[in-house]
Amino acid sequence: MSMDAALLEFSAAQRQRLAYIEFRVWFHGQVARKDVLERFEVATAAGTRDLALYRDLAPRNVVYERKAYHYLPSFVPLFCHDVDRVLAMLTSGFGMSEPATSAAPISHAVPVRLNQPRLEDLATVTRAIQGGYALGLTYHSITDGPQHREIVPHALVDSGLRWHARAFDRTRGRFQDLVLTRMAQAEPVSGRAGESVPEEQAMADEQWNRMVVLHFVPHPAQPYPRSIERDLGMRHGRLTVTIRAAVAGYMLRQWLVDCSRDACLKGPEFRLWLADVGQLDGVSNAVLAPGYEASAQSDGVHGR
């Protein structure tokens, strides 16, 4: 009997729990009984049984140590995992255990991303994030070509076009965003060199921890500002957004916010104007914002 056929022998609810166990192992590096109990609100005995069952089904995927099941390099997934759903689970918690609705889905369409990372590469990065250790990899830079990099990732970043890992780049000595689809041959750095130090961790990433408050108003060139105010839920003609400095440039580019000092950008696509461009002082990726002109450094901008 094939593995797919064997999995169908279990109830849908149990397959869902097994898939979640696999997700935790693959992308977080480990799973404990409490993870299953909290996620599915099942009895302790049932959670223990599901974990033991997964180990029986995939003995080369996990090893039991320190009261948890840990990822093994020989891991091969039993279930098919969709990259969009995996990214949604990793970043917003939505996923496999959410109850299905009986209503027919409403017809809809969403933009297609330019590319998606391979699940194997994504899992390698997210395990490093969870474990707080360094990765060695080949990074295919658009300006310098393929180069060896050693990084300590601490977060995922969605630029609206592609997914990045926010990481300390040991090769360049700074925090920056590295495009996941440009990574190849990523592996944990062995020995003590693989351990991160405080200067490489999220708490030391000034752009990540700094929050900037941005005030938007309808673009002066727009003929019907009240329509924009209504569309975006503005209050008193202004929209205020608080965001990490590390991702501000991505948002301003995606929203097509005119960040010039005199609202000089023309065209119907520019519906918003940044009321005070000084709010971007010290934001390293402000260079991505439409119309922004400053001597700001471009360090950390989407892993050139």
Side-chain angles (χ1 to χ4, degrees):
M1 180 185 298
S2 69
M3 181 55 67
D4 288 344
L7 290 173
L8 291 175
E9 301 259 319
F10 306 112
S11 68
Q14 192 166 30
R15 289 199 305 273
Q16 194 175 63
R17 295 195 297 272
L18 291 170
Y20 177 71
I21 289 168
E22 180 166 276
F23 165 82
R24 290 282 308 194
V25 169
W26 198 8
F27 294 95
H28 289 255
Q30 65 180 44
V31 63
R33 184 173 60 188
K34 68 178 182 62
D35 299 319
V36 180
L37 302 186
E38 291 173 0
R39 180 76 175 185
F40 295 99
E41 298 182 347
V42 294
T44 301
T48 302
R49 185 167 58 249
D50 289 335
L51 287 163
L53 175 58
Y54 184 83
R55 182 179 58 183
D56 291 342
L57 291 170
R60 294 173 57 83
N61 285 5
V62 294
V63 60
Y64 185 74
E65 294 177 344
R66 302 185 301 279
K67 298 183 179 181
Y69 289 85
H70 296 262
Y71 169 90
L72 286 175
S74 52
F75 181 95
V76 176
L78 300 181
F79 295 87
C80 292
H81 298 266
D82 176 75
V83 65
D84 287 310
R85 196 166 189 182
V86 166
L87 286 163
M89 291 183 70
L90 288 168
T91 56
S92 63
F94 172 82
M96 300 174 199
S97 72
E98 301 298 328
T101 141
S102 58
I106 294 174
S107 178
H108 65 285
V110 295
V112 177
R113 289 185 183 272
L114 294 173
N115 196 7
Q116 290 284 37
R118 295 192 320 142
L119 284 171
E120 294 83 355
D121 297 331
L122 175 62
T124 300
V125 171
T126 56
R127 288 196 303 272
I129 291 173
Q130 293 293 328
Y133 56 80
L135 294 174
L137 52 87
T138 298
Y139 189 74
H140 292 262
S141 167
I142 60 173
T143 56
D144 302 318
Q147 292 182 333
H148 178 76
R149 300 277 186 95
E150 201 167 287
I151 67 170
V152 181
H154 69 75
L156 296 178
V157 175
D158 179 7
S159 72
L161 293 175
R162 54 180 70 86
W163 283 91
H164 305 71
R166 182 73 182 174
F168 184 82
D169 187 340
R170 288 178 171 176
T171 310
R172 298 194 171 185
R174 67 192 185 205
F175 286 97
Q176 66 180 84
D177 300 340
L178 296 156
V179 183
L180 290 175
T181 51
R182 296 182 193 164
M183 298 180 181
Q185 293 91 44
E187 294 181 348
V189 175
S190 60
R192 293 187 63 84
E195 300 175 7
S196 64
V197 297
E199 293 78 14
E200 300 172 330
Q201 296 167 4
M203 59 186 177
D205 188 345
E206 187 272 337
Q207 290 288 303
W208 181 259
N209 293 301
R210 177 186 171 190
M211 305 301 293
V212 293
V213 181
L214 305 176
H215 301 292
F216 305 129
V217 297
H219 197 284
Q222 288 289 341
Y224 302 107
R226 293 284 295 172
S227 297
I228 296 172
E229 292 173 20
R230 183 179 181 86
D231 183 23
L232 299 179
M234 290 185 172
R235 293 191 175 186
H236 309 295
R238 179 175 291 233
L239 175 66
T240 299
V241 174
T242 301
I243 192 169
R244 294 185 186 276
V247 297
Y250 297 135
M251 183 196 71
L252 294 167
R253 181 178 61 183
Q254 187 176 15
W255 287 14
L256 289 174
V257 178
D258 183 350
C259 297
S260 63
R261 295 185 182 277
D262 55 358
C264 65
L265 299 185
K266 306 303 180 185
E269 67 271 25
F270 297 107
R271 297 186 301 159
L272 295 174
W273 179 41
L274 183 63
D276 179 9
V277 72
Q279 295 167 321
L280 295 179
D281 289 348
V283 175
S284 63
N285 65 9
V287 294
L288 299 175
Y292 181 77
E293 294 181 5
S295 58
Q297 296 178 352
S298 60
D299 289 0
V301 179
H302 55 78
R304 290 184 172 85

